[in-house]
Amino acid sequence: MTGPGDPPEGTPNGAPGGGEDEYRSVVFDESFVRAARLQEFSADERLGEHHSPAVKTRHAWRRLGGSRQAILLVLLIVLAFGTAVYMGVRHPYKTPETVRAQPLRSAVVPLAPSGRVPGATPEDLFAHSPAANYRIGAAGVNLPPVARTEHFSDGQIVSALTIAKDYIVRSSLDPDTLTGGSVRPVRLLLDTRQLDQFDRSLAHPGDNGHDAATGWLVRFDPRQTRLADRNVRVDGTLSASELSPDALDVTADYTFVYAVRPAPGTPAGVSGQDLGKPTPGAASLVTVRREVHFRLTRDNLSDHRLEVLQSSLQAGPLTCSSKPADALRPLFAGQHAGNDRPTGTDPYARERVNPSLCGELAPSAQPKPSHPMR
């Protein structure tokens, strides 16, 4: 069988169609082969200049992996902290300074009657006195209409007024407070920084403008005075204003009218003076005008406490020598102040730095009962 293909061992020399005859024109001599320069191309050169490598080179930043995210987070925190510090230094508004507690400054002025103290039943006395239309007890301490201020909402102002009302009720109307009993309800409403002064005033009262017990509350001497009627007549006002961006000022101005009678065994004289004997079985009225300034910070509003900054108390009928710093010792029905009247004050007498003050109780402030007891 014959065909065009060559046998596997090649075409025999001299046979027609052999390889030597086909490539005879391109045979190189030995000198040409030796002089030829061989050059082997690299894989990239063989693939061409537009070839993209199968494996990309990883840069050092990419090799960081999770560490890169941590570094970015640290940088963001440092940047935020630096911005906060800068804004704190450059902020145009100053942070409100912490308001420090101030000691109470108080004044207690006894009012001496011009004649004998009227006496009758409590109902008759109230009905024929300037307090005839006053409300009874806490009902007489009403909150006024409120409006928000620049730094306090109307709710915060209502809260401040409510705390002040609680203080007025506990310190001026509570029977236990009035008769020398427990003062804990009053103490719980005070700013904790005033408690030392409050305790000192109750334990060692003094007429020095700071340590009068009656600067903090209304209290009668229980050894001499009893309440003839627990229903105290009350009239006055509460008001609030902004004292600073962190504090409110609340002013309470109230008149309290108490019906009292002497305790058993009460002496008829004071400091050796003959003031007359009390009318048996008769009650008398004691009028107390009390003006108090409170300060309430934002912390006080949260704690339901307040600071008592100033207290001015006028009470009568009393004698000028009664020294009401620790408790009120009123004159009773049928008694009089005698010669114990207000004395003139000499502003040139520098030897008395804090002279005791005394006023005169106007006759119009006294009741005119329809059936006075004699």
Side-chain angles (χ1 to χ4, degrees), residues 37-105:
R37 182 180 179 183
L38 299 177
Q39 180 178 359
E40 183 178 358
F41 294 95
S42 66
D44 287 340
E45 290 173 332
R46 290 197 298 270
L47 292 173
E49 62 179 350
H50 298 292
H51 171 67
S52 298
V55 180
K56 294 185 178 180
T57 303
R58 296 188 64 185
H59 298 286
W61 179 255
R62 293 180 178 272
R63 290 197 300 268
L64 291 177
S67 300
R68 179 183 61 179
Q69 297 179 359
I71 293 174
L72 285 175
L73 180 60
V74 171
L75 289 176
L76 288 175
I77 293 175
V78 172
L79 180 62
F81 180 76
T83 303
V85 172
Y86 175 79
M87 293 300 293
V89 174
R90 301 288 297 175
H91 201 283
Y93 302 102
K94 295 183 178 180
T95 303
E97 297 181 359
T98 302
V99 182
R100 297 182 178 180
Q102 297 182 6
L104 167 65
R105 292 176 293 172

Side-chain angles (χ1 to χ4, degrees), residues 76-290:
L76 288 175
I77 293 175
V78 172
L79 180 62
F81 180 76
T83 303
V85 172
Y86 175 79
M87 293 300 293
V89 174
R90 301 288 297 175
H91 201 283
Y93 302 102
K94 295 183 178 180
T95 303
E97 297 181 359
T98 302
V99 182
R100 297 182 178 180
Q102 297 182 6
L104 167 65
R105 292 176 293 172
S106 62
V108 183
V109 180
L111 302 177
S114 57
R116 292 186 178 275
V117 177
T121 63
E123 295 77 10
D124 196 13
L125 291 171
F126 283 128
H128 295 87
S129 73
N133 297 321
Y134 284 9
R135 295 192 174 187
I136 297 175
V141 186
N142 295 319
L143 303 188
V146 299
R148 62 171 301 139
T149 64
E150 183 178 359
H151 299 95
F152 290 89
S153 66
D154 50 358
Q156 290 174 315
I157 296 176
V158 169
S159 179
L161 291 169
T162 301
I163 299 171
K165 174 180 177 176
D166 290 346
Y167 187 88
I168 292 298
V169 170
R170 296 184 188 184
S171 64
S172 306
L173 300 174
D174 190 328
D176 287 340
T177 302
L178 297 175
T179 56
S182 174
V183 296
R184 178 175 173 78
V186 179
R187 193 177 189 274
L188 289 175
L189 289 175
L190 290 174
D191 188 292
T192 55
R193 296 168 294 182
Q194 285 192 318
L195 294 181
D196 288 342
Q197 185 187 8
F198 177 80
D199 294 340
R200 184 174 61 252
S201 299
L202 271 293
H204 306 286
D207 187 16
N208 55 10
H210 294 283
D211 296 324
T214 45
W216 300 95
L217 44 82
V218 178
R219 181 169 69 172
F220 296 101
D221 187 345
R223 298 170 298 180
Q224 300 183 14
T225 308
R226 295 285 188 273
L227 291 176
D229 190 341
R230 296 168 67 94
N231 295 323
V232 182
R233 271 50 175 185
V234 184
D235 185 66
T237 59
L238 271 175
S239 62
S241 62
E242 184 172 310
L243 188 62
S244 71
D246 191 53
L248 289 169
D249 176 84
V250 177
T251 300
D253 187 359
Y254 282 90
T255 299
F256 306 92
V257 185
Y258 307 89
V260 299
R261 58 168 49 98
T266 300
V270 178
S271 300
Q273 301 183 49
D274 184 9
L275 305 178
K277 293 183 178 181
T279 303
S284 60
L285 297 185
V286 178
T287 303
V288 174
R289 171 75 177 274
R290 193 179 185 206

Side-chain angles (χ1 to χ4, degrees), residues 279-315:
T279 303
S284 60
L285 297 185
V286 178
T287 303
V288 174
R289 171 75 177 274
R290 193 179 185 206
E291 183 176 356
V292 188
H293 288 270
F294 305 102
R295 180 172 64 187
L296 294 96
T297 64
R298 298 183 187 276
D299 291 338
N300 292 145
L301 295 179
S302 301
D303 299 338
H304 202 80
R305 293 177 180 269
L306 48 69
E307 297 176 50
V308 187
L309 297 184
Q310 296 180 2
S311 173
S312 175
L313 184 145
Q314 302 175 21

